[in-house]
Amino acid sequence: MLPHVVVPSILAAFLIPEWHLSGAQAGLLAGSGAAGYMLTVPVLATLTDRIDARKILIAGSAVSALGTLLFGAFATGLWSGALFNAIAGIGFAGAYMPGLKALTDRLAPGDSSRAITLYTSSFSFGVGMSFLVSQLVAEAWGWRTAFFVTAAGPLVMLTVCFLLQPVEPKPASGRLLDFGPVFHNRKAMGFVLGYGAHCFELYGIRTWIVAFWTFVVARNSDASILTPVVVSVVFSLLAMPASILGNEFALRFGRHRAITAVMLASAAVALLIGFFADKSPWLLLPLILIYAITVPADSGALTSGMSMAADPSHRGATMAMHSTVGFSLSALGAWALGVALDATGGPQSASAWMAAFSVLAAGILLGPLALMWSRKETRQS
């Protein structure tokens, strides 16, 4: 996870001014990693139904490191940066969902909800470390060095991969990219579509959190300790306990009910942040911290719900669909916020941030609709 948000981490302070990027271009650059992921994860995750996911995890970790190194060494503008970031995203497609499949293949039979939630919440801890390392290294030694340092993360993962015991999946039948059974699984598709709404919001705010807090700090001289580094790292680290607690909430009160409550709360908090965007950071900070909890609190419940609703013989394909939808909307979220900022005055305008957070709220409100559709279809069937 170490290279995962190095591009969003350095956008506002380095890449936007050096490469003269508009908001839409910056969103496109940040979303290119998710785009590379989206294009390749259907094949790579589905392959885990046929070969040991550990083998794909090894290849994915190597390609992730390669794309990160290429960006640091050779990126000179929007399109070269987008290409190398997409390569890193392709590598991540061979790491995240195949990693989850490698985990579930090695778990004892039974309810794997908590193990899956721990895995998905560790994603957020990795993002927090990525924000921290990327920004500190870029400020001390330049933004290119941040890519060289963070590329070490996937290389360390290779060692872990080789230590895993091989586990061959049961023989699969049918075509490799046969998603028909996944589409017909209404219960699983509700979680998949809900995850898409979650990813739109999550990647949108992760891409622009540093730029937003840079805007907040620039307007206030009484927030010297609340730097973009501190806020972005704390925002990401809170996601890990939030995701775990969200899943526990779902186990206690019902998965659909808990996820819907979290998504509605998240939309409300996003609108409040946008409304108070030009106010004191001491007013905004509690809202940001609440948002740091509501944004990821549905993640573990959605992913574990998908995994448990999936047909065991098509679990890899279901995970592939889950990731494809999620990261497609991740790329869209990063770009959509950039477009909203451009259209309403730019990142130096409070009204533009109101528009951006309104886009986030609208995106996450699609999640409860997907769950309602899924529940209705499941009852009818």
PDB file of all heavy atoms in Angstrom, residues 10-29:
ATOM      1  N   ILE A  10       1.039  14.527  -3.383  1.00  0.00           N
ATOM      2  CA  ILE A  10       1.918  15.598  -3.851  1.00  0.00           C
ATOM      3  C   ILE A  10       1.263  16.469  -4.917  1.00  0.00           C
ATOM      4  O   ILE A  10       1.909  17.381  -5.439  1.00  0.00           O
ATOM      5  CB  ILE A  10       3.233  15.011  -4.395  1.00  0.00           C
ATOM      6  CG1 ILE A  10       2.968  14.130  -5.618  1.00  0.00           C
ATOM      7  CG2 ILE A  10       3.962  14.231  -3.307  1.00  0.00           C
ATOM      8  CD1 ILE A  10       4.229  13.646  -6.300  1.00  0.00           C
ATOM      9  N   LEU A  11       0.003  16.230  -5.231  1.00  0.00           N
ATOM     10  CA  LEU A  11      -0.668  17.001  -6.284  1.00  0.00           C
ATOM     11  C   LEU A  11      -0.636  18.494  -6.007  1.00  0.00           C
ATOM     12  O   LEU A  11      -0.165  19.294  -6.834  1.00  0.00           O
ATOM     13  CB  LEU A  11      -2.123  16.537  -6.408  1.00  0.00           C
ATOM     14  CG  LEU A  11      -2.485  15.516  -7.482  1.00  0.00           C
ATOM     15  CD1 LEU A  11      -3.985  15.232  -7.426  1.00  0.00           C
ATOM     16  CD2 LEU A  11      -2.095  15.999  -8.872  1.00  0.00           C
ATOM     17  N   ALA A  12      -1.186  18.892  -4.851  1.00  0.00           N
ATOM     18  CA  ALA A  12      -1.393  20.321  -4.588  1.00  0.00           C
ATOM     19  C   ALA A  12      -0.081  21.084  -4.480  1.00  0.00           C
ATOM     20  O   ALA A  12       0.049  22.191  -5.026  1.00  0.00           O
ATOM     21  CB  ALA A  12      -2.222  20.494  -3.311  1.00  0.00           C
ATOM     22  N   ALA A  13       0.899  20.515  -3.801  1.00  0.00           N
ATOM     23  CA  ALA A  13       2.135  21.253  -3.530  1.00  0.00           C
ATOM     24  C   ALA A  13       3.150  21.162  -4.661  1.00  0.00           C
ATOM     25  O   ALA A  13       3.977  22.071  -4.825  1.00  0.00           O
ATOM     26  CB  ALA A  13       2.768  20.735  -2.236  1.00  0.00           C
ATOM     27  N   PHE A  14       3.106  20.105  -5.471  1.00  0.00           N
ATOM     28  CA  PHE A  14       4.167  19.896  -6.449  1.00  0.00           C
ATOM     29  C   PHE A  14       3.662  19.775  -7.885  1.00  0.00           C
ATOM     30  O   PHE A  14       4.040  20.555  -8.761  1.00  0.00           O
ATOM     31  CB  PHE A  14       4.979  18.639  -6.077  1.00  0.00           C
ATOM     32  CG  PHE A  14       5.692  18.740  -4.764  1.00  0.00           C
ATOM     33  CD1 PHE A  14       5.114  18.230  -3.607  1.00  0.00           C
ATOM     34  CD2 PHE A  14       6.935  19.354  -4.673  1.00  0.00           C
ATOM     35  CE1 PHE A  14       5.763  18.333  -2.389  1.00  0.00           C
ATOM     36  CE2 PHE A  14       7.605  19.455  -3.460  1.00  0.00           C
ATOM     37  CZ  PHE A  14       7.015  18.950  -2.307  1.00  0.00           C
ATOM     38  N   LEU A  15       2.820  18.784  -8.166  1.00  0.00           N
ATOM     39  CA  LEU A  15       2.493  18.467  -9.558  1.00  0.00           C
ATOM     40  C   LEU A  15       1.584  19.508 -10.210  1.00  0.00           C
ATOM     41  O   LEU A  15       1.795  19.863 -11.383  1.00  0.00           O
ATOM     42  CB  LEU A  15       1.856  17.087  -9.642  1.00  0.00           C
ATOM     43  CG  LEU A  15       2.735  15.917  -9.175  1.00  0.00           C
ATOM     44  CD1 LEU A  15       2.031  14.595  -9.416  1.00  0.00           C
ATOM     45  CD2 LEU A  15       4.093  15.944  -9.865  1.00  0.00           C
ATOM     46  N   ILE A  16       0.572  19.995  -9.497  1.00  0.00           N
ATOM     47  CA  ILE A  16      -0.325  20.994 -10.104  1.00  0.00           C
ATOM     48  C   ILE A  16       0.428  22.256 -10.505  1.00  0.00           C
ATOM     49  O   ILE A  16       0.319  22.714 -11.655  1.00  0.00           O
ATOM     50  CB  ILE A  16      -1.509  21.307  -9.161  1.00  0.00           C
ATOM     51  CG1 ILE A  16      -2.460  20.102  -9.102  1.00  0.00           C
ATOM     52  CG2 ILE A  16      -2.265  22.550  -9.626  1.00  0.00           C
ATOM     53  CD1 ILE A  16      -3.631  20.277  -8.152  1.00  0.00           C
ATOM     54  N   PRO A  17       1.238  22.851  -9.612  1.00  0.00           N
ATOM     55  CA  PRO A  17       1.972  24.052 -10.039  1.00  0.00           C
ATOM     56  C   PRO A  17       3.095  23.777 -11.043  1.00  0.00           C
ATOM     57  O   PRO A  17       3.313  24.559 -11.968  1.00  0.00           O
ATOM     58  CB  PRO A  17       2.532  24.618  -8.729  1.00  0.00           C
ATOM     59  CG  PRO A  17       2.514  23.489  -7.758  1.00  0.00           C
ATOM     60  CD  PRO A  17       1.385  22.616  -8.159  1.00  0.00           C
ATOM     61  N   GLU A  18       3.804  22.655 -10.900  1.00  0.00           N
ATOM     62  CA  GLU A  18       4.927  22.383 -11.789  1.00  0.00           C
ATOM     63  C   GLU A  18       4.468  22.003 -13.184  1.00  0.00           C
ATOM     64  O   GLU A  18       5.089  22.395 -14.183  1.00  0.00           O
ATOM     65  CB  GLU A  18       5.792  21.253 -11.206  1.00  0.00           C
ATOM     66  CG  GLU A  18       7.041  20.953 -12.022  1.00  0.00           C
ATOM     67  CD  GLU A  18       7.976  19.972 -11.333  1.00  0.00           C
ATOM     68  OE1 GLU A  18       8.035  19.981 -10.086  1.00  0.00           O
ATOM     69  OE2 GLU A  18       8.639  19.184 -12.032  1.00  0.00           O
ATOM     70  N   TRP A  19       3.373  21.267 -13.291  1.00  0.00           N
ATOM     71  CA  TRP A  19       2.883  20.822 -14.594  1.00  0.00           C
ATOM     72  C   TRP A  19       1.702  21.653 -15.098  1.00  0.00           C
ATOM     73  O   TRP A  19       1.127  21.345 -16.131  1.00  0.00           O
ATOM     74  CB  TRP A  19       2.463  19.343 -14.507  1.00  0.00           C
ATOM     75  CG  TRP A  19       3.633  18.403 -14.335  1.00  0.00           C
ATOM     76  CD1 TRP A  19       4.970  18.713 -14.389  1.00  0.00           C
ATOM     77  CD2 TRP A  19       3.580  16.987 -14.073  1.00  0.00           C
ATOM     78  NE1 TRP A  19       5.736  17.595 -14.185  1.00  0.00           N
ATOM     79  CE2 TRP A  19       4.915  16.514 -13.987  1.00  0.00           C
ATOM     80  CE3 TRP A  19       2.537  16.090 -13.907  1.00  0.00           C
ATOM     81  CZ2 TRP A  19       5.229  15.183 -13.744  1.00  0.00           C
ATOM     82  CZ3 TRP A  19       2.835  14.761 -13.660  1.00  0.00           C
ATOM     83  CH2 TRP A  19       4.168  14.310 -13.584  1.00  0.00           C
ATOM     84  N   HIS A  20       1.329  22.684 -14.334  1.00  0.00           N
ATOM     85  CA  HIS A  20       0.258  23.613 -14.733  1.00  0.00           C
ATOM     86  C   HIS A  20      -1.042  22.863 -15.031  1.00  0.00           C
ATOM     87  O   HIS A  20      -1.649  23.025 -16.092  1.00  0.00           O
ATOM     88  CB  HIS A  20       0.686  24.449 -15.944  1.00  0.00           C
ATOM     89  CG  HIS A  20       2.004  25.134 -15.770  1.00  0.00           C
ATOM     90  ND1 HIS A  20       2.199  26.175 -14.879  1.00  0.00           N
ATOM     91  CD2 HIS A  20       3.219  24.903 -16.351  1.00  0.00           C
ATOM     92  CE1 HIS A  20       3.471  26.575 -14.930  1.00  0.00           C
ATOM     93  NE2 HIS A  20       4.105  25.810 -15.806  1.00  0.00           N
ATOM     94  N   LEU A  21      -1.488  22.067 -14.065  1.00  0.00           N
ATOM     95  CA  LEU A  21      -2.666  21.232 -14.249  1.00  0.00           C
ATOM     96  C   LEU A  21      -3.928  21.957 -13.794  1.00  0.00           C
ATOM     97  O   LEU A  21      -3.929  22.657 -12.779  1.00  0.00           O
ATOM     98  CB  LEU A  21      -2.527  19.936 -13.446  1.00  0.00           C
ATOM     99  CG  LEU A  21      -1.316  19.038 -13.756  1.00  0.00           C
ATOM    100  CD1 LEU A  21      -1.300  17.854 -12.801  1.00  0.00           C
ATOM    101  CD2 LEU A  21      -1.345  18.569 -15.200  1.00  0.00           C
ATOM    102  N   SER A  22      -5.017  21.767 -14.540  1.00  0.00           N
ATOM    103  CA  SER A  22      -6.327  22.199 -14.077  1.00  0.00           C
ATOM    104  C   SER A  22      -6.850  21.174 -13.077  1.00  0.00           C
ATOM    105  O   SER A  22      -6.259  20.098 -12.885  1.00  0.00           O
ATOM    106  CB  SER A  22      -7.290  22.311 -15.257  1.00  0.00           C
ATOM    107  OG  SER A  22      -7.556  21.015 -15.796  1.00  0.00           O
ATOM    108  N   GLY A  23      -7.990  21.488 -12.448  1.00  0.00           N
ATOM    109  CA  GLY A  23      -8.573  20.533 -11.517  1.00  0.00           C
ATOM    110  C   GLY A  23      -8.941  19.233 -12.198  1.00  0.00           C
ATOM    111  O   GLY A  23      -8.709  18.150 -11.666  1.00  0.00           O
ATOM    112  N   ALA A  24      -9.546  19.334 -13.388  1.00  0.00           N
ATOM    113  CA  ALA A  24      -9.936  18.129 -14.114  1.00  0.00           C
ATOM    114  C   ALA A  24      -8.714  17.304 -14.503  1.00  0.00           C
ATOM    115  O   ALA A  24      -8.738  16.068 -14.423  1.00  0.00           O
ATOM    116  CB  ALA A  24     -10.737  18.496 -15.354  1.00  0.00           C
ATOM    117  N   GLN A  25      -7.644  17.968 -14.937  1.00  0.00           N
ATOM    118  CA  GLN A  25      -6.423  17.243 -15.301  1.00  0.00           C
ATOM    119  C   GLN A  25      -5.801  16.570 -14.078  1.00  0.00           C
ATOM    120  O   GLN A  25      -5.323  15.439 -14.159  1.00  0.00           O
ATOM    121  CB  GLN A  25      -5.433  18.202 -15.951  1.00  0.00           C
ATOM    122  CG  GLN A  25      -5.829  18.660 -17.340  1.00  0.00           C
ATOM    123  CD  GLN A  25      -4.919  19.740 -17.883  1.00  0.00           C
ATOM    124  OE1 GLN A  25      -4.377  20.563 -17.119  1.00  0.00           O
ATOM    125  NE2 GLN A  25      -4.724  19.754 -19.191  1.00  0.00           N
ATOM    126  N   ALA A  26      -5.806  17.273 -12.942  1.00  0.00           N
ATOM    127  CA  ALA A  26      -5.265  16.686 -11.718  1.00  0.00           C
ATOM    128  C   ALA A  26      -6.081  15.475 -11.293  1.00  0.00           C
ATOM    129  O   ALA A  26      -5.534  14.448 -10.880  1.00  0.00           O
ATOM    130  CB  ALA A  26      -5.241  17.740 -10.605  1.00  0.00           C
ATOM    131  N   GLY A  27      -7.414  15.586 -11.417  1.00  0.00           N
ATOM    132  CA  GLY A  27      -8.263  14.442 -11.101  1.00  0.00           C
ATOM    133  C   GLY A  27      -8.030  13.276 -12.036  1.00  0.00           C
ATOM    134  O   GLY A  27      -8.040  12.113 -11.622  1.00  0.00           O
ATOM    135  N   LEU A  28      -7.800  13.581 -13.315  1.00  0.00           N
ATOM    136  CA  LEU A  28      -7.502  12.535 -14.298  1.00  0.00           C
ATOM    137  C   LEU A  28      -6.191  11.838 -13.965  1.00  0.00           C
ATOM    138  O   LEU A  28      -6.083  10.601 -14.025  1.00  0.00           O
ATOM    139  CB  LEU A  28      -7.432  13.147 -15.695  1.00  0.00           C
ATOM    140  CG  LEU A  28      -7.113  12.197 -16.850  1.00  0.00           C
ATOM    141  CD1 LEU A  28      -8.223  11.179 -17.024  1.00  0.00           C
ATOM    142  CD2 LEU A  28      -6.925  12.986 -18.153  1.00  0.00           C
ATOM    143  N   LEU A  29      -5.180  12.616 -13.599  1.00  0.00           N
ATOM    144  CA  LEU A  29      -3.890  12.039 -13.237  1.00  0.00           C
ATOM    145  C   LEU A  29      -4.026  11.137 -12.017  1.00  0.00           C
ATOM    146  O   LEU A  29      -3.530  10.000 -12.005  1.00  0.00           O
ATOM    147  CB  LEU A  29      -2.879  13.159 -12.953  1.00  0.00           C
ATOM    148  CG  LEU A  29      -1.494  12.726 -12.457  1.00  0.00           C
ATOM    149  CD1 LEU A  29      -0.781  11.876 -13.501  1.00  0.00           C
ATOM    150  CD2 LEU A  29      -0.648  13.943 -12.083  1.00  0.00           C
TER     151      LEU A  29
END
